[in-house]
Amino acid sequence: MPAVCPRVLATIALGALFPSLGCSSALPNPRPDVETTDAPRPAPRWGLVIHGGAGVLDRASLSPEREAEMRAVLAASLEAGHGLLAKGGSSLDAVTAAIRILEDSPLFNAGKGAVFTHEGTNELDAALMNGHTREAGAVAGLRHVRNPIALARAVMGKSPHVMMIGEGAERFAEQEGLALVPESYFYTEERWQALQRALAAEKKAPPPPPQGKPQSFWESPAGREYKFGTVGAVALDQAGHLAAGTSTGGMTNKRFGRVGDSPIIGAGTYADEGCAVSATGHGEYFIRYTVARDVCARVEYSGMGLGAAADRVVMDILVKAGGEGGIIAMDAQGNVAMPFNSKGMYRGYMGADGVASVAIFRDR
């Protein structure tokens, strides 16, 4: 279990900070929508929000020991990113540092904890975006890169491109001196057994769903094994700059080189000067509805607050389409939203006060 500083051990319930947790979960705006004076604007409330995936999170199957382990990793991720922000570091550095902690844990579906494809391999994707400059880097189909978010950062900062995939991306990683590992590094017995269950379920014809009620993806054999989704982070630094990043091990039993929304700019990851989003859930829907960009576009063009924009997309548009999952988001004033329409979402927040808040279900 990662070491967690004493202030994190004093974690308060996230619901206390966000009364409408699971819907808008937005902090109040520190200034009115229309300013009528020339008074100086208050400095943004800088901070960091993270997620460890959304989906079917069964309380009964989550033991107290396992829950404590996962909360400790989430808290360590918050500490890593927040520590950089507190020293005046950039939002990009904070997002990268926070995600690396989650990638190095076998408990989440990213990096070390990546799920297995139908062929019994691991394929990892990630993306990072700088809201201040709109620079972005994305990678997909990795098999040997220990920290995909670090490679996404290199693609953004050390190449003229936005996205690299497969063997070419890994050659670039080697050129840049990033840590490469054998495929065996990503093996965990838990993920392997999840693949075996998915393969067994695939051989059985699923019963027809009730009339008039399409079967939820999460209720399907594939969905039941795809519980933790992705990891991600969004941050606002003391200079007022936003960044967003997402990393994933994909979908259990996926085939044919399938790529989800995480590395697609505007779908699972997006940041501009006013808004930053990282998403988790059924990626096909997040791609079709360009979820991350849609949230930010509503903030930019319609004048909606961050909470209202996030709720509209996640709790209305996606629900009607049949897409399940959630997002974490921040705006340029430090307002936070983390709605999810699934049973749970691993998530956490740490603001300028240095108090870490971690939650899994709607009430805790």
Side-chain angles (χ1 to χ4, degrees):
M1 182 183 300
V4 183
C5 84
R7 65 183 175 186
V8 175
L9 296 179
T11 296
I12 63 175
L14 196 58
L17 282 179
F18 308 127
S20 57
L21 187 61
C23 295
S24 69
S25 302
L27 293 169
N29 197 311
R31 66 189 190 205
D33 293 334
V34 179
E35 296 187 3
T36 57
T37 72
D38 294 326
R41 295 179 176 180
R45 294 191 303 267
W46 58 271
L48 173 73
V49 188
I50 62 171
H51 73 78
V56 178
L57 305 178
D58 188 352
R59 293 174 186 263
S61 64
L62 186 62
S63 69
E65 295 77 17
R66 176 69 171 231
E67 180 176 341
E69 289 177 348
M70 301 189 87
R71 287 177 178 273
V73 176
L74 291 168
S77 172
L78 287 170
E79 276 293 320
H82 185 273
L84 295 175
L85 293 174
K87 297 175 182 177
S90 73
S91 55
L92 273 178
D93 287 341
V95 165
T96 303
I99 291 177
R100 285 181 70 115
I101 295 293
L102 299 172
E103 287 179 335
D104 287 342
S105 169
L107 300 176
F108 298 92
N109 181 16
K112 174 64 177 174
V115 298
F116 285 91
T117 68
H118 182 78
E119 292 76 20
T121 60
N122 307 98
E123 295 180 357
L124 297 82
D125 313 326
L128 185 68
M129 189 165 185
N130 183 338
H132 182 56
T133 64
R134 301 283 183 105
E135 293 176 304
V139 290
L142 307 179
R143 294 191 178 186
H144 299 92
V145 177
R146 175 171 174 165
N147 293 109
I149 196 65
L151 181 54
R153 179 75 180 269
V155 170
M156 179 178 67
K158 298 183 178 181
S159 86
H161 309 303
V162 170
M163 178 175 279
M164 295 184 186
I165 65 171
E167 293 181 2
E170 296 200 329
R171 287 198 299 271
F172 180 69
E174 184 176 17
Q175 172 185 304
E176 294 302 316
L178 298 182
L180 300 179
V181 293
E183 292 186 24
S184 59
Y185 168 81
F186 300 106
Y187 179 89
T188 63
E189 184 64 19
E190 180 178 353
R191 301 303 194 201
W192 182 253
Q193 291 305 320
L195 173 62
Q196 304 316 304
R197 292 192 296 271
L199 292 172
E202 189 177 54
K203 297 177 181 178
K204 302 177 183 178
Q211 186 175 2
K213 182 182 178 183
Q215 185 185 45
S216 163
F217 167 76
W218 300 109
E219 295 168 350
S220 70
R224 283 193 293 270
E225 295 301 339
Y226 183 57
K227 296 179 180 178
F228 306 127
T230 61
V231 304
V234 298
L236 175 68
D237 59 32
Q238 296 188 52
H241 299 155
L242 290 159
T246 314
S247 182
T248 184
M251 181 185 293
T252 298
N253 197 30
K254 74 170 187 174
R255 299 190 185 189
F256 314 118
R258 177 261 186 189
V259 176
D261 63 305
S262 297
I264 298 178
I265 301 303
T269 306
Y270 185 78
D272 57 28
E273 289 190 291
C275 173
V277 173
S278 175
T280 172
H282 190 180
E284 277 65 21
Y285 287 92
F286 284 72
I287 295 171
R288 292 169 189 156
Y289 288 84
T290 57
V291 165
R293 173 55 182 158
D294 190 14
V295 171
C296 292
R298 290 171 186 273
V299 172
E300 181 178 0
Y301 298 126
S302 73
M304 295 177 73
L306 180 68
D311 279 357
R312 173 76 171 115
V313 175
V314 175
M315 308 303 292
D316 183 13
I317 294 174
L318 274 180
V319 169
K320 290 176 180 176
E324 298 188 42
I327 68 167
I328 55 172
M330 292 188 76
D331 67 15
Q333 287 72 49
N335 298 314
V336 174
M338 47 185 80
F340 56 95
N341 59 41
S342 50
K343 291 185 178 180
M345 182 171 75
Y346 295 99
R347 59 207 187 277
Y349 169 76
M350 185 179 279
D353 61 4
V355 177
S357 301
V358 173
I360 302 174
F361 303 105
R362 296 190 185 278
D363 58 350
R364 75 175 204 292

mmCIF file with all atom_site columns, all heavy atoms in Angstrom, residues 273-284:
data_model
loop_
_atom_site.group_PDB
_atom_site.id
_atom_site.type_symbol
_atom_site.label_atom_id
_atom_site.label_alt_id
_atom_site.label_comp_id
_atom_site.label_asym_id
_atom_site.label_entity_id
_atom_site.label_seq_id
_atom_site.pdbx_PDB_ins_code
_atom_site.Cartn_x
_atom_site.Cartn_y
_atom_site.Cartn_z
_atom_site.occupancy
_atom_site.B_iso_or_equiv
_atom_site.pdbx_formal_charge
_atom_site.auth_seq_id
_atom_site.auth_comp_id
_atom_site.auth_asym_id
_atom_site.auth_atom_id
_atom_site.pdbx_PDB_model_num
ATOM 1  N N   . GLU A 1 273 ? -8.819  26.613 -22.450 1.00 0.00 ? 273 GLU A N   1
ATOM 2  C CA  . GLU A 1 273 ? -8.518  27.602 -21.413 1.00 0.00 ? 273 GLU A CA  1
ATOM 3  C C   . GLU A 1 273 ? -9.615  27.734 -20.369 1.00 0.00 ? 273 GLU A C   1
ATOM 4  O O   . GLU A 1 273 ? -9.386  28.296 -19.298 1.00 0.00 ? 273 GLU A O   1
ATOM 5  C CB  . GLU A 1 273 ? -8.251  28.956 -22.068 1.00 0.00 ? 273 GLU A CB  1
ATOM 6  C CG  . GLU A 1 273 ? -6.941  28.999 -22.831 1.00 0.00 ? 273 GLU A CG  1
ATOM 7  C CD  . GLU A 1 273 ? -6.563  30.393 -23.274 1.00 0.00 ? 273 GLU A CD  1
ATOM 8  O OE1 . GLU A 1 273 ? -7.246  30.928 -24.165 1.00 0.00 ? 273 GLU A OE1 1
ATOM 9  O OE2 . GLU A 1 273 ? -5.586  30.948 -22.734 1.00 0.00 ? 273 GLU A OE2 1
ATOM 10 N N   . GLY A 1 274 ? -10.810 27.221 -20.674 1.00 0.00 ? 274 GLY A N   1
ATOM 11 C CA  . GLY A 1 274 ? -11.905 27.376 -19.733 1.00 0.00 ? 274 GLY A CA  1
ATOM 12 C C   . GLY A 1 274 ? -12.395 26.112 -19.078 1.00 0.00 ? 274 GLY A C   1
ATOM 13 O O   . GLY A 1 274 ? -13.176 26.174 -18.128 1.00 0.00 ? 274 GLY A O   1
ATOM 14 N N   . CYS A 1 275 ? -11.930 24.937 -19.552 1.00 0.00 ? 275 CYS A N   1
ATOM 15 C CA  . CYS A 1 275 ? -12.521 23.685 -19.090 1.00 0.00 ? 275 CYS A CA  1
ATOM 16 C C   . CYS A 1 275 ? -11.583 22.526 -19.386 1.00 0.00 ? 275 CYS A C   1
ATOM 17 O O   . CYS A 1 275 ? -10.859 22.538 -20.389 1.00 0.00 ? 275 CYS A O   1
ATOM 18 C CB  . CYS A 1 275 ? -13.857 23.485 -19.819 1.00 0.00 ? 275 CYS A CB  1
ATOM 19 S SG  . CYS A 1 275 ? -14.689 21.908 -19.563 1.00 0.00 ? 275 CYS A SG  1
ATOM 20 N N   . ALA A 1 276 ? -11.577 21.513 -18.519 1.00 0.00 ? 276 ALA A N   1
ATOM 21 C CA  . ALA A 1 276 ? -10.775 20.308 -18.734 1.00 0.00 ? 276 ALA A CA  1
ATOM 22 C C   . ALA A 1 276 ? -11.579 19.101 -18.282 1.00 0.00 ? 276 ALA A C   1
ATOM 23 O O   . ALA A 1 276 ? -12.236 19.144 -17.240 1.00 0.00 ? 276 ALA A O   1
ATOM 24 C CB  . ALA A 1 276 ? -9.457  20.383 -17.968 1.00 0.00 ? 276 ALA A CB  1
ATOM 25 N N   . VAL A 1 277 ? -11.521 18.010 -19.067 1.00 0.00 ? 277 VAL A N   1
ATOM 26 C CA  . VAL A 1 277 ? -12.345 16.831 -18.797 1.00 0.00 ? 277 VAL A CA  1
ATOM 27 C C   . VAL A 1 277 ? -11.549 15.556 -19.045 1.00 0.00 ? 277 VAL A C   1
ATOM 28 O O   . VAL A 1 277 ? -10.806 15.447 -20.022 1.00 0.00 ? 277 VAL A O   1
ATOM 29 C CB  . VAL A 1 277 ? -13.597 16.816 -19.711 1.00 0.00 ? 277 VAL A CB  1
ATOM 30 C CG1 . VAL A 1 277 ? -14.370 15.503 -19.543 1.00 0.00 ? 277 VAL A CG1 1
ATOM 31 C CG2 . VAL A 1 277 ? -14.504 18.001 -19.423 1.00 0.00 ? 277 VAL A CG2 1
ATOM 32 N N   . SER A 1 278 ? -11.722 14.575 -18.161 1.00 0.00 ? 278 SER A N   1
ATOM 33 C CA  . SER A 1 278 ? -11.262 13.208 -18.388 1.00 0.00 ? 278 SER A CA  1
ATOM 34 C C   . SER A 1 278 ? -12.459 12.292 -18.153 1.00 0.00 ? 278 SER A C   1
ATOM 35 O O   . SER A 1 278 ? -13.177 12.437 -17.168 1.00 0.00 ? 278 SER A O   1
ATOM 36 C CB  . SER A 1 278 ? -10.123 12.834 -17.439 1.00 0.00 ? 278 SER A CB  1
ATOM 37 O OG  . SER A 1 278 ? -9.778  11.465 -17.591 1.00 0.00 ? 278 SER A OG  1
ATOM 38 N N   . ALA A 1 279 ? -12.667 11.345 -19.066 1.00 0.00 ? 279 ALA A N   1
ATOM 39 C CA  . ALA A 1 279 ? -13.862 10.513 -19.031 1.00 0.00 ? 279 ALA A CA  1
ATOM 40 C C   . ALA A 1 279 ? -13.532 9.051  -18.754 1.00 0.00 ? 279 ALA A C   1
ATOM 41 O O   . ALA A 1 279 ? -12.398 8.602  -18.947 1.00 0.00 ? 279 ALA A O   1
ATOM 42 C CB  . ALA A 1 279 ? -14.615 10.625 -20.362 1.00 0.00 ? 279 ALA A CB  1
ATOM 43 N N   . THR A 1 280 ? -14.543 8.315  -18.329 1.00 0.00 ? 280 THR A N   1
ATOM 44 C CA  . THR A 1 280 ? -14.421 6.877  -18.109 1.00 0.00 ? 280 THR A CA  1
ATOM 45 C C   . THR A 1 280 ? -15.781 6.233  -18.333 1.00 0.00 ? 280 THR A C   1
ATOM 46 O O   . THR A 1 280 ? -16.804 6.768  -17.913 1.00 0.00 ? 280 THR A O   1
ATOM 47 C CB  . THR A 1 280 ? -13.931 6.550  -16.688 1.00 0.00 ? 280 THR A CB  1
ATOM 48 O OG1 . THR A 1 280 ? -14.005 5.137  -16.478 1.00 0.00 ? 280 THR A OG1 1
ATOM 49 C CG2 . THR A 1 280 ? -14.756 7.252  -15.619 1.00 0.00 ? 280 THR A CG2 1
ATOM 50 N N   . GLY A 1 281 ? -15.779 5.096  -19.013 1.00 0.00 ? 281 GLY A N   1
ATOM 51 C CA  . GLY A 1 281 ? -17.042 4.413  -19.263 1.00 0.00 ? 281 GLY A CA  1
ATOM 52 C C   . GLY A 1 281 ? -17.020 3.652  -20.566 1.00 0.00 ? 281 GLY A C   1
ATOM 53 O O   . GLY A 1 281 ? -15.957 3.237  -21.047 1.00 0.00 ? 281 GLY A O   1
ATOM 54 N N   . HIS A 1 282 ? -18.194 3.468  -21.160 1.00 0.00 ? 282 HIS A N   1
ATOM 55 C CA  . HIS A 1 282 ? -18.337 2.731  -22.411 1.00 0.00 ? 282 HIS A CA  1
ATOM 56 C C   . HIS A 1 282 ? -17.860 3.626  -23.546 1.00 0.00 ? 282 HIS A C   1
ATOM 57 O O   . HIS A 1 282 ? -18.587 4.465  -24.053 1.00 0.00 ? 282 HIS A O   1
ATOM 58 C CB  . HIS A 1 282 ? -19.793 2.323  -22.607 1.00 0.00 ? 282 HIS A CB  1
ATOM 59 C CG  . HIS A 1 282 ? -19.993 1.371  -23.728 1.00 0.00 ? 282 HIS A CG  1
ATOM 60 N ND1 . HIS A 1 282 ? -21.219 0.890  -24.064 1.00 0.00 ? 282 HIS A ND1 1
ATOM 61 C CD2 . HIS A 1 282 ? -19.114 0.809  -24.600 1.00 0.00 ? 282 HIS A CD2 1
ATOM 62 C CE1 . HIS A 1 282 ? -21.105 0.059  -25.093 1.00 0.00 ? 282 HIS A CE1 1
ATOM 63 N NE2 . HIS A 1 282 ? -19.841 0.012  -25.428 1.00 0.00 ? 282 HIS A NE2 1
ATOM 64 N N   . GLY A 1 283 ? -16.609 3.415  -23.959 1.00 0.00 ? 283 GLY A N   1
ATOM 65 C CA  . GLY A 1 283 ? -15.917 4.343  -24.841 1.00 0.00 ? 283 GLY A CA  1
ATOM 66 C C   . GLY A 1 283 ? -16.585 4.624  -26.158 1.00 0.00 ? 283 GLY A C   1
ATOM 67 O O   . GLY A 1 283 ? -16.488 5.737  -26.685 1.00 0.00 ? 283 GLY A O   1
ATOM 68 N N   . GLU A 1 284 ? -17.276 3.632  -26.729 1.00 0.00 ? 284 GLU A N   1
ATOM 69 C CA  . GLU A 1 284 ? -17.907 3.851  -28.026 1.00 0.00 ? 284 GLU A CA  1
ATOM 70 C C   . GLU A 1 284 ? -18.900 5.011  -27.977 1.00 0.00 ? 284 GLU A C   1
ATOM 71 O O   . GLU A 1 284 ? -18.977 5.822  -28.908 1.00 0.00 ? 284 GLU A O   1
ATOM 72 C CB  . GLU A 1 284 ? -18.599 2.566  -28.487 1.00 0.00 ? 284 GLU A CB  1
ATOM 73 C CG  . GLU A 1 284 ? -17.684 1.548  -29.164 1.00 0.00 ? 284 GLU A CG  1
ATOM 74 C CD  . GLU A 1 284 ? -16.617 0.957  -28.255 1.00 0.00 ? 284 GLU A CD  1
ATOM 75 O OE1 . GLU A 1 284 ? -16.783 0.999  -27.017 1.00 0.00 ? 284 GLU A OE1 1
ATOM 76 O OE2 . GLU A 1 284 ? -15.607 0.448  -28.766 1.00 0.00 ? 284 GLU A OE2 1
#
